[in-house]
Amino acid sequence: MKCESCSGRLEGAMTFCPFCGVRQDVNLRQIHFRDLGTDAALPCPECETPLSVIEFDVEPKIRIERCGTCFGAFFNPGELEALLDAQTNPLVWIDPVQLQQIAKDFGYTHQVVYRKCPMCEERMSHLNFGGSSGVILDRCGTHGVWLEGSELRRLTEWWRAGGKHLHQQNEAAKAKMFYTKPSGGSDRVPMMGTTEPEQESKWGEKVDTGVSIAWVIAAIASLFLD
């Protein structure tokens, strides 16, 4: 692979050219899409450049917002999984060796920065996609997820290596935990853990554990008072 700016040779998962320092657009190299223009009302969460709207050549059509400067992308709920599925053979099995190699090639360099959602400007939470991909997304509980430049490429490789099944298992486990019924009651009460300062809600959003515990205690108490 060559640099888009100086044609220098790029090795492996390089996202910056070692010769000219220009960031490389590696996410969409093998995906057909068309640019629908810029939406000045939607600023990039990372560099504040107006986001462009692009449409992927898949069925059904998927439109996302993308930054032409840092190459980050914003997906509405469900669009990321749909795009990953469109690039993956339906017959996928878990390849632990390849999953480990992907993690080794990319490493873990996520910077803890809380960005604003380009749609509502509320602060987004962090989510480890699939529970084990190592790709930490910025997530708005209402509007979708933000991927930094090159993270889509990494997720595509992880998804093809069996990450799809790991993601499905993780979502099923979260749903089961959220809808677990307390013994002796009929109401649905989320069962939140208390081993970490923050826990993930049904959709993976970070929530305050102290508030969750108080809510759970109140809900359980109401069962005995009825």
Side-chain angles (χ1 to χ4, degrees):
M1 189 167 61
K2 294 183 178 181
C3 172
E4 299 172 346
S5 177
C6 68
S7 298
R9 182 179 177 82
L10 303 178
E11 301 289 345
M14 287 183 177
T15 56
F16 285 89
C17 176
F19 305 103
C20 67
V22 172
R23 181 190 287 270
Q24 303 301 300
D25 185 4
V26 298
N27 283 320
L28 306 182
R29 287 184 180 275
Q30 298 178 344
I31 309 176
H32 296 290
F33 69 95
R34 62 190 183 108
D35 195 331
L36 301 180
T38 301
D39 188 341
L42 297 177
C44 171
E46 186 168 350
C47 63
E48 299 187 354
T49 301
L51 297 176
S52 297
V53 179
I54 64 174
E55 182 179 77
F56 293 109
D57 187 17
V58 297
E59 291 297 337
K61 301 296 184 183
I62 298 175
R63 291 184 180 183
I64 69 167
E65 290 72 37
R66 186 170 183 263
C67 180
T69 301
C70 68
F71 306 122
F74 191 78
F75 290 80
N76 291 332
E79 289 181 336
L80 176 56
E81 291 86 347
L83 181 61
L84 294 174
D85 260 347
Q87 303 177 75
T88 306
N89 189 314
L91 300 177
V92 175
W93 57 89
I94 298 177
D95 186 340
V97 175
Q98 188 174 357
L99 290 173
Q100 291 177 6
Q101 186 61 48
I102 291 172
K104 180 180 178 181
D105 289 344
F106 284 95
Y108 180 83
T109 58
H110 182 78
Q111 186 178 4
V112 180
V113 177
Y114 289 95
R115 300 179 174 86
K116 292 183 179 180
C117 170
M119 301 291 183
C120 64
E121 297 188 350
E122 292 293 328
R123 192 186 74 165
M124 294 185 285
S125 59
H126 291 164
L127 170 69
N128 185 356
F129 184 79
S132 60
S133 68
V135 176
I136 311 300
L137 309 182
D138 296 282
R139 178 186 174 278
C140 170
T142 302
H143 298 108
V145 295
W146 172 260
L147 280 73
E148 297 178 6
S150 78
E151 287 185 336
L152 178 58
R153 176 188 174 188
R154 175 179 178 177
L155 275 184
T156 301
E157 294 185 17
W158 180 79
W159 194 265
R160 290 172 175 171
K164 174 180 179 178
H165 296 307
L166 299 180
H167 173 71
Q168 292 172 339
Q169 292 171 5
N170 182 66
E171 291 299 302
K174 288 194 295 184
K176 182 178 180 181
M177 178 183 68
F178 188 81
Y179 286 115
T180 297
K181 297 179 181 179
S183 59
S186 58
D187 294 333
R188 289 180 173 180
V189 179
M191 301 300 290
M192 300 294 182
T194 60
T195 57
E196 299 180 359
E198 290 183 329
Q199 297 295 328
E200 292 187 351
S201 68
K202 175 184 176 184
W203 303 112
E205 185 178 4
K206 297 297 185 182
V207 295
D208 189 293
T209 305
V211 174
S212 298
I213 293 175
W215 184 86
V216 172
I217 293 175
I220 295 176
S222 66
L223 297 178
F224 291 96
L225 294 176
D226 291 342

